[in-house]
Amino acid sequence: MIPYGRQTISEADIRAVVDVLRSDFLTQGSAVPAFESAVANYCGAHYACAVNSATSALHIACLALGVGKGDSVWTSPITFVASANCALYCGADVDFVDIDPLTYNISVECLAAKLAQAEKTGNLPKVLIPVHLSGQSCDMGAIRRLGKQYGFNIIEDASHAIGGQYRGQPIGNCSYSDITVFSFHPVKIITTGEGGMALTNDAGLARRMQLLRSHGITREIDQMTHEPDGPWYYQQIELGFNYRMTDLQAALGLSQMQRLDEFVATRHSIAKRYDDLLSHLPVLIPWQYSDSYSSVHLYVIRLQLDLIGKTHRAIFEALRVAGIGVNLHYIPVYLQPYYANLGFNTGYCPEAENYYTQAISLPIFPSLTLVEQDQVVSMLSRAISRATAFDF
Ligand SMILES: *Cc1c(COP(=O)(O)O)cnc(C)c1O
């Protein structure tokens, strides 16, 4: 099976992890701060807080911004459930804004309309979590303007997007947001096995996230309520978690950072080749803003089912049977039974539901070979032509 995504591990990566295994500290050593600095410097952000997953990063980002009971957090329905769950962890409510039909990111028009309505009814969001689907930035300039106008904070879920740029600047510099979150799960752009990071330019938010990732405990005298009782002393000043990243993970991440630009460039060339090879098929290829540079985490096509005359599911299953590990990113979050139980119904975000009936993620990762890519395209052609006798 050709997977839809997979990690790219070098001998240098392996050596970096083995070096940590031979060192004194498997966790809470020097690799975590080194990885944090590398990512912060790359992105042009002041502070970085490494954690054990992007899910944890989203959770402590919400808490650091004060999200709690009675608050509302809005996000896109076309995302992984973690982008919404983080608000529920904090006791807040979640709501969804429909997607843009071209980029599949949150629609700025729908957002503006929903905000105008929410202002009238007095239930504006406290935090918005735009998700950079496939690694293409949302329209952050417009989102930031709405944030200022309506007074909400912004957490960028950039789990797909490290290595990408928006208007010539690295995603993660937090020019348009309070906090940006990355994921280092193996299918993402760079990996630490499991892992995530939260970036910010705000010293107060950075301090709170650092506390929350490690039990709410501090060893900094200036954060304590009184002088230390002795050299052993620490204080718990918040209710935090154990969300720490290990040094084994950080060493892998630091080593992977050296090839980040290369990984993204390779993803672009694979995507470009798909664009060309698929041009004769009845599918929509990903649409890209001209002024942004995607990290190309996913390559999502949409089946033009009216031309194909067979179901989305039939094509998807034919590809899986042929050994092509296609996937679907994503099921609209509010259609999950857990969210349906919270009161969301089918029809809530029509554009997202329409997307869900047509989208397929084709395999894309740096070590995908030309032969494998040709195989993906030929199996897709066959699945479609068998369905329709479509003339190629
Ligand atoms: C992968 C992903 C997450 C969760 O990342 P983990 O590191 O696995 O917790 C959150 N949001 C989006 C959009 C993702 O793709």
Side-chain angles (χ1 to χ4, degrees):
M1 183 77 83
I2 303 171
Y4 85 87
R6 65 160 289 150
Q7 69 279 9
T8 308
I9 301 295
S10 68
E11 287 305 315
D13 293 339
I14 293 167
R15 274 197 304 276
V17 176
V18 171
D19 286 347
V20 173
L21 279 169
R22 296 191 202 283
S23 77
D24 290 336
F25 295 101
L26 304 188
T27 189
Q28 296 178 283
S30 60
V32 169
F35 181 39
E36 288 173 334
S37 298
V39 177
N41 287 340
Y42 179 91
C43 295
H46 290 325
Y47 307 98
C49 181
V51 286
N52 57 3
S53 70
T55 303
S56 302
L58 288 164
H59 183 196
I60 62 173
C62 285
L63 289 174
L65 286 167
V67 171
K69 204 167 158 45
D71 293 326
S72 181
V73 173
W74 293 6
T75 189
S76 169
I78 298 300
T79 185
F80 186 54
V81 292
S83 315
N85 288 345
C86 56
L88 301 183
Y89 297 157
C90 303
D93 295 326
V94 177
D95 205 349
F96 299 91
V97 182
D98 208 351
I99 61 166
D100 178 276
L102 274 183
T103 62
Y104 318 142
N105 280 332
I106 200 164
S107 155
V108 170
E109 290 71 36
C110 292
L111 176 62
K114 195 174 170 81
L115 286 165
Q117 189 58 35
E119 188 176 43
K120 287 188 202 133
T121 53
N123 55 354
L124 284 166
K126 182 173 181 69
V127 169
L128 177 76
I129 306 183
V131 180
H132 304 321
L133 192 76
S134 302
Q136 172 162 246
S137 178
C138 296
D139 184 357
M140 292 308 299
I143 289 172
R144 186 56 157 178
R145 272 195 303 282
L146 289 168
K148 292 224 163 91
Q149 184 182 344
Y150 290 98
F152 57 82
N153 292 109
I154 300 168
I155 301 170
E156 292 172 74
D157 184 344
S159 290
H160 299 182
I162 193 169
Q165 296 174 11
Y166 174 66
R167 295 184 179 166
Q169 299 295 317
I171 291 173
N173 70 356
C174 299
S175 288
Y176 301 89
S177 63
D178 299 282
I179 297 170
T180 302
V181 167
F182 293 134
S183 171
F184 307 126
H185 183 278
V187 296
K188 307 290 165 73
I189 306 292
I190 61 166
T191 190
T192 60
E194 296 280 358
M197 201 177 282
L199 285 81
T200 184
N201 292 326
D202 183 299
L205 291 175
R207 193 186 74 103
R208 283 211 70 200
M209 292 193 290
Q210 276 150 16
L211 277 173
L212 288 164
R213 81 167 156 189
S214 195
H215 310 280
I217 282 173
T218 185
R219 290 176 185 276
E220 306 289 328
I221 294 172
D222 61 344
Q223 294 181 14
M224 292 184 184
T225 55
H226 59 77
E227 288 291 304
D229 296 349
W232 62 84
Y233 197 65
Y234 56 83
Q235 274 192 350
Q236 186 193 338
I237 58 175
E238 298 251 11
L239 182 60
F241 310 89
N242 183 350
Y243 281 171
R244 291 188 306 264
M245 176 181 279
T246 67
D247 280 52
L248 296 164
Q249 293 167 301
L252 177 56
L254 186 59
S255 181
Q256 291 252 305
M257 274 303 284
Q258 297 183 26
R259 282 173 299 142
L260 170 56
D261 288 341
E262 184 190 315
F263 288 160
V264 173
T266 306
R267 286 173 175 277
H268 271 267
S269 57
I270 295 169
K272 174 72 183 63
R273 193 157 178 271
Y274 269 136
D275 289 350
D276 295 340
L277 293 172
L278 299 176
S279 60
H280 66 293
L281 291 180
V283 300
L284 297 179
I285 61 173
W287 185 92
Q288 302 289 319
Y289 283 115
S290 56
D291 66 346
S292 88
Y293 181 71
S294 172
S295 62
V296 199
H297 165 56
L298 301 174
Y299 190 91
V300 177
I301 58 164
R302 283 177 77 158
L303 302 178
Q304 295 182 282
L305 292 168
D306 46 343
L307 298 177
I308 294 171
K310 198 160 187 188
T311 65
H312 176 238
R313 180 168 176 167
I315 306 269
F316 193 103
E317 283 176 345
L319 286 166
R320 282 276 179 95
V321 166
I324 313 299
V326 287
N327 221 313
L328 208 177
H329 299 93
Y330 291 92
I331 306 160
V333 174
Y334 64 82
L335 295 180
Q336 297 290 350
Y338 188 85
Y339 281 85
N341 287 340
L342 298 177
F344 292 100
N345 292 311
T346 302
Y348 193 61
C349 295
E351 202 59 55
E353 291 180 25
N354 193 27
Y355 165 91
Y356 177 57
T357 63
Q358 301 166 350
I360 298 182
S361 301
L362 299 184
I364 191 164
F365 48 90
S367 60
L368 182 74
T369 65
L370 298 182
V371 171
E372 287 172 325
Q373 189 176 17
D374 288 342
Q375 215 177 318
V376 172
V377 174
S378 98
M379 291 306 167
L380 178 64
S381 302
R382 272 210 239 170
I384 291 172
S385 67
R386 234 188 284 128
T388 66
F390 191 86
D391 185 22
F392 303 112

